[in-house]
Each structure stands twice: as structure tokens, then as C-alpha cells.
Amino acid sequence: MGYKGVYCYNPQHQKVLISRHVVYNEDVFPFKAHQYSLTTPSISQSSPASPSGMSPVPVIMPSPPSFSLTVQPLLSPSMHSTSSLRLSPTIFDSTSSAGATTSDNNMLPIISADQLEVILPHISDSSESAHSVSNSTNNCHPMQTRSKSGIIQHRQFPEYSSFTTQLHSITEPDTPSHFKAALGKPEWQQAMSEEIQALYQQGTWTLVPPPSHTNIVGCKWIFKVKKNADGTISRYKARLVAQGFSQEYGLDYDETFSPVVRHTTVRLILGLAVQFQWKLRQLDVKNAFLHGELQEEVFMKQPQGFVDPTYPDFVCKLQKSLYGLKQAPRAWNAKFTGYLPTLGFTVSHSDPSLFIKKTSSDILILLLYVDDIILTGSNPALVNSVICDLGEVFELKDMGQLKYFLGLEIHYQANGNMFVNQAKYAKDLIKKAVVDMCKPCSTPSKPHQQALTTDGLALSDPTLYRSIVGALQYLTFTRPDIAFAVNTVCQFMHNPTDVHFGFVKRILRYLQGTQQHGITFSPGTMLLSGYCDADWAGDPNTRRSTTGYAVFLGHNPISWASKKQTSVSRSSTEAEYRALAHCAAEISWIRQLLCDLHMVIPEAPILHSDNLSALALSANPVLHSRIKHMDIDFHFIREKVQNKDLIVQYVSTDEQVADILTKGLHSPLFVKHSGNLSLGSPPAEIEGG
């Protein structure tokens, strides 16, 4: 009845108490000679006296108002054997029941009327009984309470506090998971018909009798809703995919490698386009993999829903590549890159997915990422000419100005700047992790956060952990502020625990408050500069150091990394020297990439470090005893410095931008370095639409 305890009767003071801590004494029985029961106030006090001369004290037990209780008194044989009594809330007041024969001095109210209102809520059909409870309050102490003043304050709880497990309503259209689920929907039937028509036009296969002793590959329909950057539906897409997992190496496939453009190259081209005010165009090749020509014999079953009624037992002998085949990406890349030289393009030696066309006065740049193409250059008329030439061989879709590419959202500002972020990708990731109602935090990791591989309990199913961490890796395309935190959680992919998953949740909480953050590219000088740093023995599991570096073209960050070194460093000087070597190698690669683009860097790149010993090692063969065990390839930075191809320069630790890539920082310093990386929220003109 609202209390957790034991009713205790004190025979000396004749009072009933409630206590949670009771010790039972089974050697003393004060009421052994007589029997007493729990009675009501209507029972008379003319009961036999107790051995001690004290009269028995009736104890009233609370009961709900609507509960009927049959009381059988045992105090006097002359009383009625049974009496039915319907209890009301008034029996809990020591001043009520004027006709009761029990003395008020011997009665102790167990529950007050105010408490009773909470325990026993009013019943709609017994308003008079409820009124008697409110009027029977005997509160005689002089303190003026809120209850006496009639003040009742109700605490308002936020909606998320009561509905933390509420499922979100699904507003997206249902995507069929198999062929039968798509049969009854016209939009998916239309999408499948368009896909089959495109396959027939390309001459993808020919029907042949099934050969004996040959591997037959299955096929499956894959459905997907293509969306725009704002989340609206672009089109319904059905793809016929070969089940390449059933292929056998050496029988129906050999090599499978296909190059993909590097993230640094994409950011470099975006920076150059802003620097020279070039227009960025986006092209999409329809059914790109269908253009690839196979070198091996591959046989496939006929697709579901489109089996030839004349030859239902025949199989498809593939003439062109198909999505799902192990060699399909390689075949498409070979087909497309083999045609570009006929248009005057040459492939870059630094990135095989970058193609350059140079004339006497103009330059064209083409980036290939599977079937997505970015085209830009100094002459818009020459760009349009190349698009027309490609359209004659491949079925292209001109997407116009580049706005949404590989999850990147590109916004153009009136002052010539470009803002790039992954807001939609981050929002979808947070929703996938079901943390879209979480409270944001100021940094993606705690300052100097460390964890052992054995900390916590191993996750029973690490699938979600690995899926989220893999998605976070791609988010670092435009978010260098989470690079170190993501690198940390990637080290526990083999056997993650609940402690490691807590690190992932903190990253998601940080993203919850910074979904719109991105990088601003602005025009500036054509100078390369870099910042490198190392956290010596920062990994408590292996005692290896963490390297962090960031490379800028003008004020625009185009390359960054946070990764663990491959060996243990014996001193902080060695760790910083290795970081210098890694950053110098990245700068050398970017310089070669700019040379392929026929871009001239007027001055030698400047590399900043906050370790004077490492700077001395890079310029002079001093402190040789500390680095005599290092490999020769780390000493190439000394040759670069001596040849004046690279300038090393000291920078204070407070101004070391790469510090954000080596360890967790406090919020003020973290925000400062994020601003140095041109990272922040979108400008007001973008936020306003």
C-alpha cells in the first residue's frame, strides 16, 4: 500500500510502526495466552485484557475502496460470527467514524489522505467518497505548504524521454527484395522492362543449348530507389545481376582488378576548378558494365520473368559483361579507357583514373569513378565537344553542373567559393544506427582517449559495429575532424567490445550536431604546404605511434591522413621523423600529379613540424645513433631538403594543424584546428536555400 516494510506493534507505547529492517525474536511471545486479530473501528474495546494489563489495539489495514472485506472477529464469542464490511477511505483518518468505540489515543493513522489519493485514485462514480478524503485531512502543523495553498505543479517531460524505443514511421517507398515482390507493382515492372530492353540493344547475350561440363552462373533482380540530394525520388531502377559468387577462377574469369580515382585527386580537381573558375560537368554512363567485352566464355541462366517461351531450356552465352560478374569492372574500365586516347586524352602516371587533354591554349580534365564521370576544363566549348563524342559511343546522361557526386554535395557561392559536404550521407548513417534522437557532443573523441583490445565484453554480433565503422571511413572524404576517431575504432574491427562500441556512439553523437559541416574551397595561391605530427607510443596495445598529416593547396585542404605507424619508434624524434617522411611522400605524389596536369608550382612546398630534433635530422646527418636502425626509404626526405625540393619549417604545437589527426583534443583546441582545415557549417546563403 505504498510502503515496503513490516508492520511492527510496540506493546509498551501501544503504537504500530513500519520498518524495513526487522529482526525476528522467536523466543518471546507476548500474546501467547490470547489471540488478537486485525479489526475495524466498529469493534468494541470490551475485549479481554492482555497479560500485561493493556487493552488490545486494533490495527486498520488499508484496502481499495471497492474491495469488500469479510471480517471474522475472534475477541468475543458473543459477537456475530461474520460481518460484512465495505471499507471506505475514511477509515484511514484517525478523526473519522464518530460512532467508533475505539479510542483516538490508541489509533495511529498508517496512511494519510494525501497519500491515499496517490495510491488509490478517485473513481468516477464515487465523487462523494473522494470529497470526504480531501476534507478529512488533519494537517495541524504551522508550516504553510504547497498542499495547503492548493498549488500543484506538474513536471513536463520531453517527448523523447517517454518514447526512446518508439519506431520511426517509414515514409520511403517499399523496395522489393526479390522478383515476386515486384510483380504486382507497375513502376518496378516498367523498370525491369527497360533493363531487359537495354540488354537486348547491347547484344549482351545469345541463347544457346546448355553445354555439358560447363559452369552455369545464376542471375537475380536487384531493385533500388534512386534519390536526389534533397531526398526526393529520381527514378526506380531494376538491375539484372549475375551471381558471380558461383564463378570459378581460371574457368570463367581471371583478373578482376579495376582502378578507382583517389579521394585526394577529386579534392585537388575541385580546388583547381575553384582556383581558375572552371565549370564542373557531371556525366553518367547508362548500363556502363554492359559495354565491357568479355575475354572468357561465361554461361548464365535466363532471367526470371523473361524466359524465352520457344527455348525455355536454353542458357545465355554472355558476349558483354554484366553486373555481378567478377571481371565486369575491369572489362568496363578497359573499354572506356581504351577509347579516350582516340579523343586526345592521356592517362596520368600518378592516378590511372585521371585523364588529361592538352591543346596549345586549353586543358581538359576527366575523372572516372566506375561509371560516374567529372569533366572540367578551361574551354567550355571543348568540354561540350568531348561530351558529344562520348555520346556517340556510349549511352550518356548529361547531369549538367556537378551538384551531387558519390555522396558529395557541392554548393556554389556567389563569391566564387565552393562548399562541399556529405550531409545526406551523414543523416542516413545516423538514422541507420538508430541514434537520430541522441544528444550531440562537442568532439568525436575524449581528450587522450585510449582503450585496450580486451576492455569490455565482446559483442555477440559485431555486424552492426563493422557496418557503421565502414560507413564512417567514407565520411572522412570531407570530414578530417573525425579521421583520428575513425582510425581508432577501425583498429578493433576483428573483435569489438561494448567499450569500443561506446567510442563509435560518441562519433555518431558528434555527427548528430555537425551533420551539415563540410569544407569550403576558395581561390588562392598555387602553393603547396603541409603539417605533420606524431603521437609517440600512443597505442597502448602495441606501443606504436600515430602519424597525422594534412596537405594544403593554397588555403584548401586536399589530402589528410591519420594512421598508425608500421613499427615501434624508440623515441619521439624517430616517430616525428617518420611522420615527416610520410607527409613528404604525399607532397611528392601531389607535385607529380600537378605536373601531369601541366600545373607549375612557383615555390618549393613548405612542411611544418613541431619537433626540432626531427627537423635537424631531415637537414643534417646528426644524432645518427638514434636512427641507424631505420630503413633507407625514410631518409629520402633528407635528399629532398638538400635538393631544395622541400623546405622544412618549425611550427609551435598550438599552431600544429595536424595535431587534430593524432589524438583527441579538448573542445577549444579542436574547434580551432577544425577552422584551420577550412571545416565548418555551411554559409548562410546555402542554409537559406
Side-chain angles (χ1 to χ4, degrees), residues 313 374 460 470 520 593 602:
D313 298 331
I374 295 179
S460 58
T520 300
L593 193 64

Side-chain angles (χ1 to χ4, degrees), residues 534-561:
D535 183 29
W536 180 47
D539 184 8
N541 298 288
T542 61
R543 283 307 173 188
R544 295 182 181 180
S545 307
T546 301
T547 294
Y549 65 80
V551 182
F552 293 78
L553 179 63
H555 299 290
N556 304 322
I558 58 175
S559 179
W560 54 81

Side-chain angles (χ1 to χ4, degrees), residues 38-59:
L38 301 179
T39 63
T40 65
S42 60
I43 300 176
S44 174
Q45 282 188 348
S46 59
S47 305
S50 63
S52 60
M54 297 181 297
S55 59
V57 179
V59 180

Side-chain angles (χ1 to χ4, degrees), residues 432-443:
K432 173 185 176 182
V434 200
V435 292
D436 47 347
M437 298 295 291
C438 67
K439 182 179 178 181
C441 59
S442 58
T443 58

Side-chain angles (χ1 to χ4, degrees), residues 529-533 548-552 554 559-561 579-580 583 587 606-610 649-652 655-659 661 676-677:
S529 61
Y531 293 83
C532 64
D533 193 19
Y549 65 80
V551 182
F552 293 78
S559 179
W560 54 81
L580 272 173
C583 189
I587 291 177
I606 301 176
L607 182 55
H608 301 84
S609 176
D610 59 358
Q649 195 173 90
Y650 175 78
V651 64
S652 63
E655 301 300 327
Q656 176 58 271
V657 179
D659 200 28
L661 300 169
N676 293 334
L677 287 167

Side-chain angles (χ1 to χ4, degrees), residues 19 37 47 93 104 108 251 311 426-427 531 533 546 559 589 602 619:
S19 176
S37 66
S47 305
D93 194 338
D104 292 344
L108 179 66
L251 180 62
Y311 306 102
K427 181 179 180 180
Y531 293 83
D533 193 19
T546 301
S559 179
W589 178 81

